[in-house]
Amino acid sequence: ALRIAGGQCVEGYQEQEPYYPVLGALGRLTRQPEVVKTLQKYAPSWLLQFPSLIDEPERRKWRRGAGYGARQRMLREVCELVDALCRHEPLVISLEDFHWADPHTVACLAALARRREPADLMILITYRPVDAILSRHPIRTLKLELKTHRLCAEIALDTLDQNAVSRIIADRHSAAYVPDSIAQLMHRQTEGNPLFLELTLDYLEAKKFLRVTRGTLELSVPQSTVSSLVPESLRQIIERYIEQLTADEAGMLTAASIAGMRFEASTVASMLDLDSSDVENCLDSLVQRQVFLESDPLPKVIDGTRRSSSYGFRHSLHREVFYHRCGLATRRLLHARIARAMEASMATNAPAIASEDAQKGFRSIESVHSL
């Protein structure tokens, strides 16, 4: 037999009830009478968190003997409780969205992970690294410490491939046949990001842009309509990330969005009239924090000419939101600056580079005329 307990963290971790997801997991286990007895014996402080399990006279007795509300005692008791539960059956504890876990829950995880006694215990937590980084959540520090002491293992989930995207869409539509064209469109639009896929499908379904005809899924609008949209729910998530940036970081990323999905630090520096090394330092920091950007593996030296560092947006929807955050006049100005920078590059750089930059410059010039 195997005991499985699951808890869900919720947004706003600093205001949450202490141990909120752990209490949720234990609450599910207390449906088993033997677990309640184990709580009474090994973790009375935790038992007091479930008033429905004991009557008032018993509650008063346990409060006197347990040091009601003593957080440090609760940490010791939860370790003893887990040891006791694991003596009879293996235990799996799953805590979802840990980037929203309250500080007491983080301390609880740390205490359980550092236990020295062997036990048939597995703790699974899921979290979004970007959310943890932007909110400076303590799970980042704890993860590094536990990995250093080989007390945890991290599994980074890959993005979905087109086949997985097709299966998810089919499951949402009663196993309807999903044409490759729709699967390709959704995979290209979301780049296999599960959250982006779910929010995009929610939007398409709410707008009735998807329909099933004789068992086949169809789009009721042109593909170009879907390719250019950013669902409001997804835009709000990205905007929330942007709010965590400094003004300089947001300004550089806005300029970068006009330069394209892939761009060089020198291009952004020219657009904003900044020192190229300062821009590189800022963009490198964003890459290290896994916020919006990734390094572009373009060679720094082509035909003997050194180029500034290259970068790329981690997702096309990130670039789309930044691009539309600035007004039309600002976009025109920055497009014009790109064009001038590219024209200067054509005049001064090696032919191979000039040819590559010329294409970008002509695209920027065309963009200025089309705005």
Short mmCIF file of all heavy atoms in Angstrom, two decimals, residues 63-118:
data_model
loop_
_atom_site.label_atom_id
_atom_site.label_comp_id
_atom_site.label_asym_id
_atom_site.label_seq_id
_atom_site.Cartn_x
_atom_site.Cartn_y
_atom_site.Cartn_z
N ARG A 63 -3.92 21.89 23.98
CA ARG A 63 -3.29 23.21 23.95
C ARG A 63 -2.35 23.39 25.14
O ARG A 63 -1.25 23.92 25.02
CB ARG A 63 -4.35 24.31 23.98
CG ARG A 63 -5.04 24.55 22.65
CD ARG A 63 -6.09 25.64 22.77
NE ARG A 63 -6.77 25.85 21.49
CZ ARG A 63 -7.78 26.68 21.32
NH1 ARG A 63 -8.26 27.36 22.36
NH2 ARG A 63 -8.33 26.83 20.13
N ARG A 64 -2.76 22.95 26.30
CA ARG A 64 -1.91 23.08 27.49
C ARG A 64 -0.64 22.23 27.35
O ARG A 64 0.44 22.66 27.74
CB ARG A 64 -2.69 22.65 28.74
CG ARG A 64 -3.77 23.63 29.17
CD ARG A 64 -4.24 23.31 30.59
NE ARG A 64 -4.82 21.96 30.67
CZ ARG A 64 -6.10 21.68 30.47
NH1 ARG A 64 -6.95 22.66 30.18
NH2 ARG A 64 -6.55 20.45 30.57
N GLY A 65 -0.78 21.07 26.75
CA GLY A 65 0.38 20.17 26.69
C GLY A 65 1.25 20.34 25.48
O GLY A 65 2.38 19.88 25.45
N ALA A 66 0.73 21.05 24.46
CA ALA A 66 1.47 21.09 23.20
C ALA A 66 2.16 22.41 22.94
O ALA A 66 2.92 22.52 21.99
CB ALA A 66 0.52 20.78 22.04
N GLY A 67 1.88 23.42 23.75
CA GLY A 67 2.49 24.71 23.44
C GLY A 67 1.89 25.27 22.17
O GLY A 67 2.55 25.41 21.16
N TYR A 68 0.60 25.55 22.24
CA TYR A 68 -0.17 25.93 21.05
C TYR A 68 0.48 27.10 20.30
O TYR A 68 0.82 28.12 20.88
CB TYR A 68 -1.58 26.33 21.49
CG TYR A 68 -2.50 26.68 20.34
CD1 TYR A 68 -2.91 25.70 19.44
CD2 TYR A 68 -2.95 27.97 20.16
CE1 TYR A 68 -3.75 26.01 18.40
CE2 TYR A 68 -3.80 28.30 19.13
CZ TYR A 68 -4.20 27.32 18.25
OH TYR A 68 -5.04 27.63 17.22
N GLY A 69 0.68 26.89 19.00
CA GLY A 69 1.22 27.95 18.16
C GLY A 69 2.73 28.00 18.13
O GLY A 69 3.30 28.86 17.46
N ALA A 70 3.41 27.10 18.83
CA ALA A 70 4.87 27.12 18.83
C ALA A 70 5.38 26.56 17.51
O ALA A 70 5.36 25.34 17.29
CB ALA A 70 5.41 26.31 20.01
N ARG A 71 5.85 27.43 16.61
CA ARG A 71 6.24 27.00 15.26
C ARG A 71 7.44 26.05 15.27
O ARG A 71 7.51 25.11 14.49
CB ARG A 71 6.55 28.22 14.40
CG ARG A 71 5.40 29.20 14.27
CD ARG A 71 4.17 28.56 13.69
NE ARG A 71 3.04 29.47 13.63
CZ ARG A 71 1.79 29.10 13.43
NH1 ARG A 71 1.50 27.81 13.30
NH2 ARG A 71 0.82 29.99 13.39
N GLN A 72 8.40 26.31 16.16
CA GLN A 72 9.57 25.44 16.18
C GLN A 72 9.18 24.04 16.62
O GLN A 72 9.70 23.04 16.08
CB GLN A 72 10.64 26.01 17.12
CG GLN A 72 11.26 27.31 16.60
CD GLN A 72 12.33 27.83 17.52
OE1 GLN A 72 12.39 27.47 18.69
NE2 GLN A 72 13.17 28.70 16.99
N ARG A 73 8.28 23.95 17.58
CA ARG A 73 7.83 22.63 18.02
C ARG A 73 7.09 21.92 16.89
O ARG A 73 7.20 20.70 16.73
CB ARG A 73 6.92 22.76 19.24
CG ARG A 73 6.40 21.41 19.73
CD ARG A 73 5.82 21.51 21.11
NE ARG A 73 5.42 20.20 21.59
CZ ARG A 73 5.11 19.91 22.84
NH1 ARG A 73 5.17 20.85 23.75
NH2 ARG A 73 4.74 18.70 23.19
N MET A 74 6.35 22.66 16.10
CA MET A 74 5.62 22.05 14.99
C MET A 74 6.58 21.43 13.98
O MET A 74 6.29 20.37 13.40
CB MET A 74 4.72 23.09 14.31
CG MET A 74 3.54 23.52 15.18
SD MET A 74 2.43 24.70 14.38
CE MET A 74 1.61 23.62 13.19
N LEU A 75 7.73 22.05 13.77
CA LEU A 75 8.71 21.49 12.84
C LEU A 75 9.24 20.15 13.37
O LEU A 75 9.39 19.19 12.61
CB LEU A 75 9.87 22.47 12.62
CG LEU A 75 9.55 23.74 11.82
CD1 LEU A 75 10.79 24.60 11.69
CD2 LEU A 75 9.01 23.38 10.44
N ARG A 76 9.55 20.11 14.66
CA ARG A 76 10.04 18.84 15.22
C ARG A 76 8.95 17.77 15.16
O ARG A 76 9.23 16.62 14.80
CB ARG A 76 10.49 19.08 16.67
CG ARG A 76 10.91 17.80 17.40
CD ARG A 76 11.50 18.10 18.76
NE ARG A 76 10.57 18.83 19.61
CZ ARG A 76 9.56 18.27 20.28
NH1 ARG A 76 9.33 16.96 20.16
NH2 ARG A 76 8.78 19.00 21.05
N GLU A 77 7.73 18.16 15.48
CA GLU A 77 6.64 17.18 15.50
C GLU A 77 6.33 16.63 14.11
O GLU A 77 6.02 15.45 13.97
CB GLU A 77 5.39 17.82 16.10
CG GLU A 77 5.46 18.02 17.60
CD GLU A 77 4.17 18.59 18.16
OE1 GLU A 77 3.22 18.83 17.36
OE2 GLU A 77 4.08 18.80 19.38
N VAL A 78 6.41 17.47 13.09
CA VAL A 78 6.07 16.98 11.76
C VAL A 78 7.09 15.94 11.30
O VAL A 78 6.74 14.98 10.59
CB VAL A 78 5.95 18.14 10.75
CG1 VAL A 78 7.31 18.68 10.33
CG2 VAL A 78 5.16 17.69 9.52
N CYS A 79 8.34 16.09 11.70
CA CYS A 79 9.35 15.08 11.36
C CYS A 79 9.04 13.76 12.07
O CYS A 79 9.15 12.67 11.47
CB CYS A 79 10.74 15.58 11.73
SG CYS A 79 11.31 16.96 10.72
N GLU A 80 8.66 13.84 13.35
CA GLU A 80 8.30 12.63 14.08
C GLU A 80 7.05 11.99 13.51
O GLU A 80 6.93 10.76 13.42
CB GLU A 80 8.10 12.97 15.56
CG GLU A 80 9.37 13.43 16.27
CD GLU A 80 9.11 13.84 17.70
OE1 GLU A 80 7.94 13.81 18.12
OE2 GLU A 80 10.08 14.18 18.42
N LEU A 81 6.10 12.82 13.10
CA LEU A 81 4.87 12.31 12.50
C LEU A 81 5.17 11.55 11.20
O LEU A 81 4.67 10.44 10.99
CB LEU A 81 3.92 13.47 12.20
CG LEU A 81 2.67 13.14 11.39
CD1 LEU A 81 1.75 12.22 12.19
CD2 LEU A 81 1.94 14.43 10.98
N VAL A 82 6.00 12.14 10.35
CA VAL A 82 6.33 11.48 9.08
C VAL A 82 7.05 10.17 9.33
O VAL A 82 6.78 9.15 8.67
CB VAL A 82 7.16 12.44 8.21
CG1 VAL A 82 7.82 11.69 7.05
CG2 VAL A 82 6.29 13.57 7.67
N ASP A 83 7.99 10.16 10.27
CA ASP A 83 8.69 8.92 10.59
C ASP A 83 7.71 7.83 11.02
O ASP A 83 7.81 6.67 10.62
CB ASP A 83 9.71 9.16 11.71
CG ASP A 83 10.95 9.88 11.21
OD1 ASP A 83 11.21 9.83 9.99
OD2 ASP A 83 11.64 10.51 12.02
N ALA A 84 6.73 8.22 11.86
CA ALA A 84 5.76 7.25 12.36
C ALA A 84 4.87 6.73 11.23
O ALA A 84 4.60 5.53 11.14
CB ALA A 84 4.90 7.88 13.46
N LEU A 85 4.43 7.61 10.36
CA LEU A 85 3.57 7.19 9.25
C LEU A 85 4.31 6.27 8.29
O LEU A 85 3.74 5.32 7.76
CB LEU A 85 3.04 8.42 8.50
CG LEU A 85 2.02 9.29 9.26
CD1 LEU A 85 1.70 10.54 8.45
CD2 LEU A 85 0.75 8.52 9.56
N CYS A 86 5.58 6.55 8.06
CA CYS A 86 6.36 5.76 7.09
C CYS A 86 6.77 4.39 7.62
O CYS A 86 7.26 3.56 6.85
CB CYS A 86 7.61 6.54 6.67
SG CYS A 86 7.26 8.01 5.68
N ARG A 87 6.60 4.15 8.91
CA ARG A 87 6.94 2.82 9.44
C ARG A 87 5.98 1.75 8.92
O ARG A 87 6.33 0.57 8.86
CB ARG A 87 6.88 2.84 10.97
CG ARG A 87 7.98 3.64 11.62
CD ARG A 87 8.04 3.39 13.11
NE ARG A 87 8.82 4.42 13.78
CZ ARG A 87 8.33 5.32 14.59
NH1 ARG A 87 7.02 5.32 14.87
NH2 ARG A 87 9.10 6.23 15.15
N HIS A 88 4.79 2.16 8.56
CA HIS A 88 3.76 1.20 8.15
C HIS A 88 3.56 1.18 6.63
O HIS A 88 3.35 0.12 6.05
CB HIS A 88 2.44 1.53 8.84
CG HIS A 88 2.55 1.61 10.33
ND1 HIS A 88 2.75 0.50 11.11
CD2 HIS A 88 2.52 2.67 11.18
CE1 HIS A 88 2.82 0.85 12.39
NE2 HIS A 88 2.69 2.17 12.46
N GLU A 89 3.63 2.34 6.01
CA GLU A 89 3.42 2.44 4.55
C GLU A 89 4.29 3.54 3.98
O GLU A 89 4.52 4.56 4.66
CB GLU A 89 1.95 2.75 4.23
CG GLU A 89 0.98 1.64 4.58
CD GLU A 89 -0.45 2.06 4.30
OE1 GLU A 89 -0.76 3.27 4.42
OE2 GLU A 89 -1.27 1.18 3.96
N PRO A 90 4.79 3.37 2.77
CA PRO A 90 5.50 4.48 2.12
C PRO A 90 4.57 5.68 1.97
O PRO A 90 3.36 5.54 1.79
CB PRO A 90 5.90 3.91 0.75
CG PRO A 90 5.85 2.42 0.92
CD PRO A 90 4.76 2.15 1.92
N LEU A 91 5.16 6.87 2.06
CA LEU A 91 4.38 8.10 2.00
C LEU A 91 4.92 9.01 0.90
O LEU A 91 6.13 9.22 0.79
CB LEU A 91 4.44 8.83 3.35
CG LEU A 91 3.80 10.22 3.42
CD1 LEU A 91 2.30 10.14 3.16
CD2 LEU A 91 4.08 10.88 4.77
N VAL A 92 4.01 9.53 0.07
CA VAL A 92 4.35 10.51 -0.96
C VAL A 92 3.58 11.79 -0.66
O VAL A 92 2.36 11.77 -0.53
CB VAL A 92 3.99 10.01 -2.37
CG1 VAL A 92 4.28 11.11 -3.41
CG2 VAL A 92 4.77 8.75 -2.71
N ILE A 93 4.31 12.89 -0.52
CA ILE A 93 3.71 14.20 -0.29
C ILE A 93 3.97 15.06 -1.52
O ILE A 93 5.12 15.25 -1.92
CB ILE A 93 4.27 14.88 0.96
CG1 ILE A 93 4.03 14.02 2.20
CG2 ILE A 93 3.65 16.26 1.15
CD1 ILE A 93 4.68 14.57 3.46
N SER A 94 2.91 15.57 -2.13
CA SER A 94 3.03 16.40 -3.32
C SER A 94 2.54 17.81 -2.99
O SER A 94 1.43 17.99 -2.49
CB SER A 94 2.20 15.81 -4.46
OG SER A 94 2.16 16.70 -5.56
N LEU A 95 3.38 18.80 -3.26
CA LEU A 95 3.04 20.21 -3.00
C LEU A 95 3.16 20.98 -4.30
O LEU A 95 4.27 21.14 -4.85
CB LEU A 95 3.96 20.80 -1.92
CG LEU A 95 3.98 20.05 -0.57
CD1 LEU A 95 5.02 20.67 0.36
CD2 LEU A 95 2.60 20.06 0.07
N GLU A 96 2.04 21.47 -4.80
CA GLU A 96 1.99 22.12 -6.11
C GLU A 96 2.24 23.63 -5.98
O GLU A 96 1.90 24.25 -4.98
CB GLU A 96 0.62 21.89 -6.76
CG GLU A 96 0.27 20.43 -6.99
CD GLU A 96 1.00 19.84 -8.17
OE1 GLU A 96 1.49 20.62 -9.01
OE2 GLU A 96 1.09 18.60 -8.27
N ASP A 97 2.83 24.20 -7.06
CA ASP A 97 3.04 25.65 -7.16
C ASP A 97 3.82 26.19 -5.96
O ASP A 97 3.41 27.16 -5.30
CB ASP A 97 1.71 26.40 -7.31
CG ASP A 97 1.04 26.11 -8.64
OD1 ASP A 97 1.76 25.90 -9.64
OD2 ASP A 97 -0.20 26.09 -8.70
N PHE A 98 4.95 25.57 -5.69
CA PHE A 98 5.71 25.91 -4.48
C PHE A 98 6.31 27.31 -4.54
O PHE A 98 6.76 27.84 -3.52
CB PHE A 98 6.82 24.88 -4.26
CG PHE A 98 7.20 24.71 -2.82
CD1 PHE A 98 6.47 23.89 -1.98
CD2 PHE A 98 8.29 25.38 -2.29
CE1 PHE A 98 6.82 23.73 -0.65
CE2 PHE A 98 8.65 25.23 -0.96
CZ PHE A 98 7.91 24.41 -0.13
N HIS A 99 6.32 27.95 -5.70
CA HIS A 99 6.80 29.33 -5.79
C HIS A 99 5.87 30.28 -5.03
O HIS A 99 6.20 31.46 -4.86
CB HIS A 99 6.91 29.78 -7.25
CG HIS A 99 5.68 29.50 -8.07
ND1 HIS A 99 5.47 28.31 -8.70
CD2 HIS A 99 4.60 30.26 -8.34
CE1 HIS A 99 4.30 28.35 -9.33
NE2 HIS A 99 3.75 29.53 -9.13
N TRP A 100 4.70 29.77 -4.58
CA TRP A 100 3.79 30.55 -3.76
C TRP A 100 3.75 30.05 -2.31
O TRP A 100 2.92 30.50 -1.52
CB TRP A 100 2.37 30.50 -4.33
CG TRP A 100 2.21 31.25 -5.62
CD1 TRP A 100 2.89 32.36 -6.01
CD2 TRP A 100 1.30 30.94 -6.68
NE1 TRP A 100 2.47 32.78 -7.25
CE2 TRP A 100 1.49 31.93 -7.69
CE3 TRP A 100 0.34 29.95 -6.87
CZ2 TRP A 100 0.76 31.92 -8.88
CZ3 TRP A 100 -0.38 29.95 -8.06
CH2 TRP A 100 -0.17 30.93 -9.04
N ALA A 101 4.64 29.14 -1.94
CA ALA A 101 4.61 28.58 -0.58
C ALA A 101 4.98 29.64 0.45
O ALA A 101 5.87 30.47 0.23
CB ALA A 101 5.58 27.40 -0.48
N ASP A 102 4.30 29.62 1.61
CA ASP A 102 4.60 30.56 2.68
C ASP A 102 5.93 30.17 3.34
O ASP A 102 6.39 29.03 3.23
CB ASP A 102 3.48 30.55 3.72
CG ASP A 102 3.31 29.19 4.37
OD1 ASP A 102 2.59 28.34 3.79
OD2 ASP A 102 3.91 28.97 5.43
N PRO A 103 6.59 31.11 4.02
CA PRO A 103 7.91 30.83 4.62
C PRO A 103 7.89 29.66 5.60
O PRO A 103 8.88 28.92 5.69
CB PRO A 103 8.26 32.15 5.32
CG PRO A 103 7.49 33.19 4.58
CD PRO A 103 6.21 32.53 4.17
N HIS A 104 6.79 29.46 6.35
CA HIS A 104 6.73 28.34 7.29
C HIS A 104 6.74 27.01 6.54
O HIS A 104 7.34 26.03 7.01
CB HIS A 104 5.48 28.46 8.15
CG HIS A 104 5.48 29.66 9.05
ND1 HIS A 104 5.00 30.88 8.65
CD2 HIS A 104 5.92 29.82 10.33
CE1 HIS A 104 5.14 31.75 9.64
NE2 HIS A 104 5.68 31.13 10.67
N THR A 105 6.08 26.97 5.39
CA THR A 105 6.08 25.73 4.60
C THR A 105 7.47 25.45 4.05
O THR A 105 7.91 24.29 4.00
CB THR A 105 5.07 25.84 3.45
OG1 THR A 105 3.75 25.96 4.00
CG2 THR A 105 5.12 24.62 2.55
N VAL A 106 8.18 26.49 3.66
CA VAL A 106 9.57 26.31 3.19
C VAL A 106 10.43 25.75 4.31
O VAL A 106 11.24 24.83 4.10
CB VAL A 106 10.15 27.65 2.68
CG1 VAL A 106 11.61 27.47 2.26
CG2 VAL A 106 9.33 28.17 1.51
N ALA A 107 10.26 26.27 5.53
CA ALA A 107 11.00 25.75 6.68
C ALA A 107 10.63 24.31 6.97
O ALA A 107 11.49 23.49 7.35
CB ALA A 107 10.73 26.63 7.91
N CYS A 108 9.36 23.97 6.79
CA CYS A 108 8.91 22.59 7.00
C CYS A 108 9.58 21.65 6.01
O CYS A 108 10.05 20.56 6.36
CB CYS A 108 7.39 22.53 6.88
SG CYS A 108 6.68 20.91 7.19
N LEU A 109 9.62 22.07 4.73
CA LEU A 109 10.29 21.26 3.71
C LEU A 109 11.76 21.06 4.06
O LEU A 109 12.31 19.95 3.93
CB LEU A 109 10.14 21.92 2.35
CG LEU A 109 10.89 21.25 1.19
CD1 LEU A 109 10.36 19.84 0.93
CD2 LEU A 109 10.78 22.09 -0.08
N ALA A 110 12.40 22.13 4.49
CA ALA A 110 13.82 22.04 4.86
C ALA A 110 14.02 21.06 6.00
O ALA A 110 14.96 20.24 5.99
CB ALA A 110 14.34 23.42 5.24
N ALA A 111 13.16 21.10 7.01
CA ALA A 111 13.29 20.20 8.17
C ALA A 111 13.11 18.75 7.74
O ALA A 111 13.86 17.86 8.17
CB ALA A 111 12.27 20.58 9.23
N LEU A 112 12.13 18.49 6.90
CA LEU A 112 11.89 17.12 6.45
C LEU A 112 13.04 16.62 5.58
O LEU A 112 13.44 15.46 5.68
CB LEU A 112 10.58 17.06 5.67
CG LEU A 112 9.29 17.23 6.49
CD1 LEU A 112 8.09 17.37 5.57
CD2 LEU A 112 9.09 16.04 7.43
N ALA A 113 13.58 17.49 4.74
CA ALA A 113 14.67 17.07 3.85
C ALA A 113 15.95 16.79 4.62
O ALA A 113 16.76 15.95 4.20
CB ALA A 113 14.92 18.15 2.80
N ARG A 114 16.15 17.47 5.74
CA ARG A 114 17.40 17.32 6.50
C ARG A 114 17.32 16.23 7.56
O ARG A 114 18.28 16.05 8.32
CB ARG A 114 17.75 18.66 7.16
CG ARG A 114 18.08 19.77 6.16
CD ARG A 114 18.52 21.02 6.88
NE ARG A 114 18.85 22.10 5.97
CZ ARG A 114 18.19 23.26 5.91
NH1 ARG A 114 17.17 23.47 6.74
NH2 ARG A 114 18.56 24.20 5.06
N ARG A 115 16.21 15.55 7.65
CA ARG A 115 16.12 14.45 8.61
C ARG A 115 17.23 13.44 8.36
O ARG A 115 17.57 13.16 7.21
CB ARG A 115 14.77 13.73 8.48
CG ARG A 115 13.57 14.54 8.90
CD ARG A 115 12.28 13.91 8.42
NE ARG A 115 12.22 12.49 8.68
CZ ARG A 115 12.55 11.54 7.79
NH1 ARG A 115 12.97 11.87 6.59
NH2 ARG A 115 12.46 10.28 8.12
N ARG A 116 17.74 12.85 9.39
CA ARG A 116 18.84 11.90 9.25
C ARG A 116 18.37 10.45 9.22
O ARG A 116 19.07 9.58 8.74
CB ARG A 116 19.86 12.09 10.39
CG ARG A 116 20.54 13.45 10.34
CD ARG A 116 21.64 13.56 11.38
NE ARG A 116 22.33 14.83 11.31
CZ ARG A 116 23.32 15.11 10.46
NH1 ARG A 116 23.72 14.18 9.60
NH2 ARG A 116 23.90 16.28 10.46
N GLU A 117 17.17 10.20 9.76
CA GLU A 117 16.69 8.83 9.81
C GLU A 117 16.13 8.42 8.45
O GLU A 117 15.41 9.19 7.80
CB GLU A 117 15.59 8.68 10.87
CG GLU A 117 16.04 8.95 12.29
CD GLU A 117 16.19 10.44 12.58
OE1 GLU A 117 15.71 11.24 11.74
OE2 GLU A 117 16.81 10.78 13.60
N PRO A 118 16.45 7.19 7.99
CA PRO A 118 15.88 6.72 6.72
C PRO A 118 14.38 6.50 6.85
O PRO A 118 13.88 6.13 7.91
CB PRO A 118 16.62 5.41 6.46
CG PRO A 118 17.05 4.94 7.81
CD PRO A 118 17.32 6.18 8.62
#
